[in-house]
Amino acid sequence: MIFNIFFSVVGLSRMESLFKDEKDLPAMTWLQKFCCRILKAGAIPRHIAIIMDGNRRYARKHKYDNRLGHLKGFDKLAETLSWCSELGINEVTIYAFSIENFKRSKDEVDNIMDLAREKFHRLQAEKEQIRKHGVCIRIIGDINLLPPDLQKLAADIVYFSRNNTRYSII
């Protein structure tokens, strides 16, 4: 069985702010805005899926430790959610962790769990934004494989956002 953590969002209006401080987000470049306008001229999917892969390769390439590679990957996800909002894509599935990832070193798995903890705490702190923007967060997979404190954080945010319907992050 593959273990997947998916975030499902329904209305992504500046959704990346839930994952990263608004002041830290780069503004869209003119080229990104231009590309969004071009894409909007055609059919836009209502749902996309993202596989978060390559964070360790990125870290090695730039001589970062793996933790920083995973953090940069999460920052890019936040930026991507902004693009989805701009394009009107209101459901995003994010494949963030598989059971295979548990085979990595204990240090790397612990670092990933710490990053997940940090982001779920951020989601907890942003509950009013989640409600305001109608974001539904769902997790698919066996969360019992996660540390107990992370299970509770995840379950709490899923429960809190269960009735929101504008955007979905799975």
Side-chain angles (χ1 to χ4, degrees):
M1 175 180 153
I2 293 180
F3 171 71
N4 304 313
I5 295 178
F6 293 103
F7 299 97
S8 179
V9 181
V10 183
L12 293 169
S13 177
R14 297 298 288 176
M15 197 49 219
E16 73 280 4
S17 68
L18 295 176
F19 299 100
K20 193 173 178 188
D21 287 332
E22 188 91 17
K23 63 181 173 24
D24 296 334
L25 290 170
M28 273 197 191
T29 66
W30 70 269
L31 181 59
Q32 290 167 335
K33 289 178 184 176
F34 178 73
C35 290
C36 282
R37 286 189 196 112
I38 289 173
L39 290 171
K40 284 181 179 180
I44 299 292
R46 292 182 307 161
H47 173 261
I48 65 165
I50 299 168
I51 299 173
M52 295 185 66
D53 188 33
N55 295 329
R56 291 186 304 167
R57 283 188 301 276
Y58 177 86
R60 278 193 296 272
K61 180 179 177 182
H62 294 282
K63 299 185 182 356
Y64 299 146
D65 66 16
N66 285 342
R67 178 170 171 73
L68 185 56
H70 290 294
L71 183 59
K72 294 242 180 221
F74 202 90
D75 290 347
K76 186 52 74 173
L77 170 63
E79 190 176 337
T80 303
L81 290 174
S82 175
W83 299 338
C84 290
S85 174
E86 181 70 26
L87 289 168
I89 299 168
N90 64 357
E91 187 161 348
V92 179
T93 299
I94 304 160
Y95 180 77
F97 199 80
S98 77
I99 201 162
E100 296 297 315
N101 294 129
F102 283 111
K103 295 179 182 176
R104 296 179 180 184
S105 73
K106 180 181 179 340
D107 186 52
E108 185 173 1
V109 171
D110 288 347
N111 282 332
I112 293 169
M113 294 299 140
D114 287 344
L115 182 60
R117 229 176 246 106
E118 176 186 323
K119 299 308 177 182
F120 276 112
H121 279 295
R122 178 65 189 263
L123 288 171
Q124 292 283 344
E126 297 285 342
K127 281 184 173 179
E128 285 313 307
Q129 287 294 93
I130 290 170
R131 183 188 328 272
K132 176 182 171 186
H133 293 292
V135 177
C136 177
I137 299 171
R138 292 177 284 189
I139 298 177
I140 300 171
D142 186 359
I143 69 168
N144 293 315
L145 297 172
L146 299 174
D149 66 314
L150 197 48
Q151 290 177 39
K152 181 172 180 358
L153 285 169
D156 286 350
I157 202 66
V158 167
Y159 182 79
F160 173 80
S161 69
R162 73 192 180 285
N163 294 321
N164 296 340
T165 59
R166 193 177 313 144
Y167 296 98
S168 290
I169 298 177
I170 302 170

